[in-house]
Amino acid sequence: MNIVVVGTSHGGYEAVKTVLENYPDAKVKLFEQSDKVSFLSCGIQLYLEGAVQDINYIHYATKEGYSDQGVDVYTRHQVTGLDPDQKTIHVKNLDTNETYDESYDKLILAPGATPRKLPFKGNDLDNVYFLRGREWALKSKAKIEDPSVTDVVVIGSGYIGIEVVEAYAKAGKKVTVIDVTDRILPTYLDHEFTDILTADLQKHGINVRTGEFVQEIQGRDGKASAVITDKGTYPADLVVEAAGVVPNTDWLKGTLELNSNGTIVVDAYQKTSAPDVFAAGDACMIRYNPTGKEMNIALATNARRQGVAAALNLEKPTFKIEGVSGTSALSLFDYKFATTGIKDATAAKSGLETSSVFVTDYYRPAFVPGTEKIYMKLTYEVGSNRIVGAQLLSKHDITAAINTLSLAIATKQTTQQLAFADFFFQPEFDQQWNYLCALAHAAYKQAKEIQPVAL
């Protein structure tokens, strides 16, 4: 069996790994547009901040390692098209500009996503950067180490934007972050948390400009010199656009069925509309547990699940992915936070009637030295009291607890069930009532399921 995999990041990596484990007699060919395979974009911040010194460490695999396992690897080869009738892909060698067709018996597409370019004047100026992939990481690192770069403007305050803000600020740059929404991290956290994080950003010297529309990137001698919004002008030796990503699927239009947002239509087994063609990763949607609907949730964990599923289902449909809740976590200067499922900011689009409860507590008894305050929010469906979302924040690292809440969503736990869950107590680690129990109990009381029980 001739198996071709396109793309070597999270989805492609897992697809190749699973193919090698389950189809030992298959011939495997792997195509990658970059000069290196399996780059981990999630590790860029660690590289920019110097926690990881060598960018070559931020890879799952190497071309040589794949070759040792019998995989034919084609780096610097861009796949530009697909002919499902002939069962071929169109390939361009980026070093020689040679084009040719490559045949397959089974094809797994993991093309990922590309940075979203915003439609304003100045995008083509030098010193306007994006941050996705190895090449942009290297360019950004050079700017961090460049003493002539003093003022940095970051457009967009999602995960990528916030990571860039922190990295450049720690390098001693003057950083301004601009977002069209009224607060940072608008789709990840509700205002109770973003208010805390915004104050912390400002404490670290970040100029936070929310609720502003970028109108133009101003240039001088072909280089970005300032960002102009509807409310001000901000000097810039470097501009980083971090306004999200779009599926890398333009080259598949007219060949595969695509959703309205550009993602590839796949069934429960990752099969596309074409025979023997499967897809995984950021170019696909995935079932969202809180609502049961398909959503585009560009997370490495989702891409990995889909890559495994695509490979396992090549010969026959046998393995379905369980839904996900968009579970993620991040640190920002003094705080660490995590989120899963629906929050107030996204509830209206969910189609569910929800309510939320916000709780401030300590993760262990206050008499224990060094105990930090924690901030928590639980969102549940009105009527059923089914847990559908949660958010956590603290200077202490409680982010792993979001995995418990993600599992509670997946298993349709109610606030009552989580409130009385069997969690251990030891004052070195937590309180008599674990903070997740206390959070769920507050929601339980709010929903008036039973008479309040003192904790």
Side-chain angles (χ1 to χ4, degrees):
M1 182 165 56
N2 179 25
I3 302 174
V4 172
V5 179
V6 178
T8 68
S9 191
H10 301 284
Y13 169 81
E14 286 291 352
V16 172
K17 179 182 177 183
T18 307
V19 162
L20 292 173
E21 292 172 350
N22 290 273
Y23 310 96
D25 297 327
K27 181 66 175 176
V28 184
K29 296 179 181 179
L30 179 59
F31 289 84
E32 169 58 46
Q33 185 171 322
S34 177
D35 61 344
K36 301 284 185 180
V37 298
S38 300
F39 182 70
L40 176 61
S41 288
C42 302
I44 289 178
Q45 183 183 8
L46 294 172
Y47 173 62
L48 294 181
E49 292 182 3
V52 176
Q53 296 291 324
D54 188 344
I55 196 170
N56 292 316
Y57 292 153
I58 314 177
H59 287 266
Y60 299 127
T62 63
K63 183 176 181 179
E64 295 73 23
Y66 275 135
S67 297
D68 290 344
Q69 298 177 79
V71 179
D72 291 337
V73 182
Y74 301 87
T75 54
R76 297 279 300 161
H77 281 64
Q78 181 182 9
V79 178
T80 60
L82 166 66
D83 187 338
D85 296 329
Q86 298 298 316
K87 299 189 77 169
T88 59
I89 54 173
H90 310 314
V91 183
K92 180 180 181 179
N93 184 323
L94 297 177
D95 292 323
T96 65
N97 287 325
E98 173 195 5
T99 60
Y100 64 95
D101 288 347
E102 183 74 42
S103 63
Y104 62 85
D105 295 321
K106 305 287 183 179
L107 174 64
I108 301 175
L109 302 175
T114 57
R116 185 189 304 278
K117 277 195 173 185
L118 297 172
F120 44 68
K121 183 180 176 182
N123 264 331
D124 56 345
L125 291 167
D126 288 344
N127 292 354
V128 176
Y129 280 22
F130 300 86
L131 195 62
R132 192 174 179 90
R134 178 186 170 97
E135 291 78 10
W136 282 114
L138 288 167
K139 292 172 69 173
S140 297
K141 182 69 169 179
K143 289 297 182 183
I144 274 187
E145 297 173 347
D146 184 349
S148 69
V149 175
T150 301
D151 294 290
V152 178
V153 175
V154 179
I155 303 172
S157 66
Y159 272 14
I160 294 174
I162 286 299
E163 287 183 317
V164 174
V165 165
E166 183 173 7
Y168 278 95
K170 285 181 175 178
K173 312 297 184 183
K174 298 176 183 176
V175 182
T176 297
V177 57
I178 302 171
D179 202 298
V180 68
T181 64
D182 63 354
R183 55 198 178 80
I184 64 170
L185 297 162
T187 62
Y188 295 96
L189 296 170
D190 287 330
H191 72 89
E192 296 96 335
F193 305 93
T194 58
D195 287 352
I196 295 170
L197 293 174
T198 297
D200 196 50
L201 284 175
Q202 292 168 335
K203 186 184 81 172
H204 285 87
I206 310 300
N207 183 20
V208 181
R209 309 300 303 180
T210 53
E212 297 194 22
F213 292 82
V214 174
Q215 298 177 331
E216 178 186 350
I217 299 177
Q218 198 171 58
R220 185 185 306 116
D221 299 326
K223 296 183 178 181
S225 60
V227 175
I228 302 174
T229 75
D230 58 335
K231 296 180 181 177
T233 298
Y234 308 97
D237 302 308
L238 174 68
V239 177
V240 181
E241 289 188 32
V245 297
V246 294
N248 179 25
T249 57
D250 280 350
W251 59 283
L252 292 168
K253 289 179 178 178
T255 304
L256 295 182
E257 184 180 355
L258 303 180
N259 293 298
S260 59
N261 61 3
T263 54
I264 302 169
V265 173
V266 293
D267 66 11
Y269 302 96
Q270 302 305 127
K271 190 176 182 304
T272 72
S273 58
D276 298 314
V277 179
F278 299 77
D282 292 354
C284 302
M285 296 212 285
I286 193 166
R287 187 169 65 84
Y288 187 50
N289 278 330
T291 64
K293 300 175 183 177
E294 297 292 308
M295 286 187 63
N296 185 208
I297 307 174
L299 290 172
T301 48
N302 298 340
R304 282 176 167 260
R305 291 180 180 92
Q306 291 180 322
V308 171
L312 291 177
N313 293 320
L314 288 179
E315 292 187 315
K316 59 182 179 180
T318 59
F319 180 75
K320 288 184 180 181
I321 296 179
E322 297 297 326
V324 302
S325 297
T327 308
S328 62
L330 201 68
S331 64
L332 182 58
F333 288 112
D334 299 332
Y335 289 95
K336 302 163 184 66
F337 59 89
T339 178
T340 187
I342 295 170
K343 60 273 308 172
D344 288 351
T346 61
K349 292 183 178 180
S350 72
L352 301 178
E353 184 183 358
T354 64
S355 187
S356 300
V357 63
F358 178 74
V359 173
T360 300
D361 202 345
Y362 291 90
Y363 76 94
R364 61 185 181 183
F367 65 78
V368 180
T371 297
E372 295 285 355
K373 187 177 289 187
I374 58 177
Y375 306 87
M376 308 176 287
K377 193 170 187 178
L378 194 71
T379 301
Y380 59 93
E381 183 181 32
V382 174
S384 70
N385 297 320
R386 175 174 65 97
I387 296 168
V388 295
Q391 300 157 76
L392 305 173
L393 181 144
S394 178
K395 291 182 179 180
H396 180 71
D397 188 2
I398 60 170
T399 54
I402 206 69
N403 293 325
T404 299
L405 294 164
S406 176
L407 189 60
I409 296 172
T411 55
K412 303 185 186 302
Q413 292 274 303
T414 65
T415 56
Q416 178 181 349
Q417 289 171 311
L418 181 58
F420 293 97
D422 178 22
F423 294 143
F424 78 89
F425 162 60
Q426 216 291 332
E428 182 181 353
F429 302 108
D430 66 353
Q431 302 223 41
Q432 295 91 333
W433 287 92
N434 181 273
Y435 52 85
L436 295 185
C437 293
L439 174 63
H441 194 273
Y444 175 42
K445 287 170 62 177
Q446 178 175 284
K448 301 186 184 334
E449 289 182 357
I450 64 168
Q451 293 298 314
V453 176
L455 297 185

